[in-house]
C-alpha cells in the first residue's frame, strides 16, 4: 500500500475507518464500468474506499485501493 501524504502539509496521512453512526461502512457504487484503477470494478459493484486523515490539518481523503 502506498504512503499517502497530505497535499497541504506534506505529512503522512493516517489510515482511518469511516463508518456511519449505525456502524455500517461506506461503499462506493458504480452504475457502469469505469476506467483506470476503477476498471477493476464492474457495473453495479461496490468497493470500500480507504480513508486517510491528516494529523496536522484534519483533511480527510478517501482512496480506492486494489
Ligand atoms: Zn494536512
Amino acid at each position: 500500500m502506498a504512503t499517502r501524504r497530505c497535499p497541504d502539509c506534506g505529512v503522512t496521512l493516517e489510515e482511518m475507518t469511516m463508518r456511519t453512526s449505525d456502524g455500517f461502512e461506506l461503499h462506493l457504487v458504480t452504475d457502469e464500468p469505469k476506467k483506470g484503477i476503477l476498471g477493476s470494478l464492474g457495473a453495479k459493484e461496490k468497493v470500500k474506499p480507504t480513508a486517510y486523515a491528516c494529523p496536522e490539518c484534519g483533511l480527510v481523503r478517501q482512496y480506492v485501493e486494489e
Side-chain angles (χ1 to χ4, degrees):
M1 189 189 311
T3 299
R4 307 295 188 180
R5 291 187 180 280
C6 178
D8 295 327
C9 308
V11 300
T12 300
L13 298 176
E14 294 187 18
E15 187 174 336
M16 310 283 287
T17 300
M18 191 173 279
R19 289 195 175 94
T20 68
S21 57
D22 295 326
F24 294 106
E25 294 188 339
L26 300 174
H27 291 83
L28 292 173
V29 181
T30 59
D31 289 331
E32 57 189 28
K34 303 295 185 185
K35 295 178 180 176
I37 193 172
L38 300 179
S40 59
L41 264 180
K44 305 297 183 189
E45 288 191 60
K46 57 187 178 182
V47 64
K48 187 180 77 172
T50 304
Y52 293 88
C54 175
E56 294 291 326
C57 70
L59 174 76
V60 176
R61 292 186 137 188
Q62 292 186 79
Y63 291 88
V64 174
E65 298 175 322
E66 297 179 270

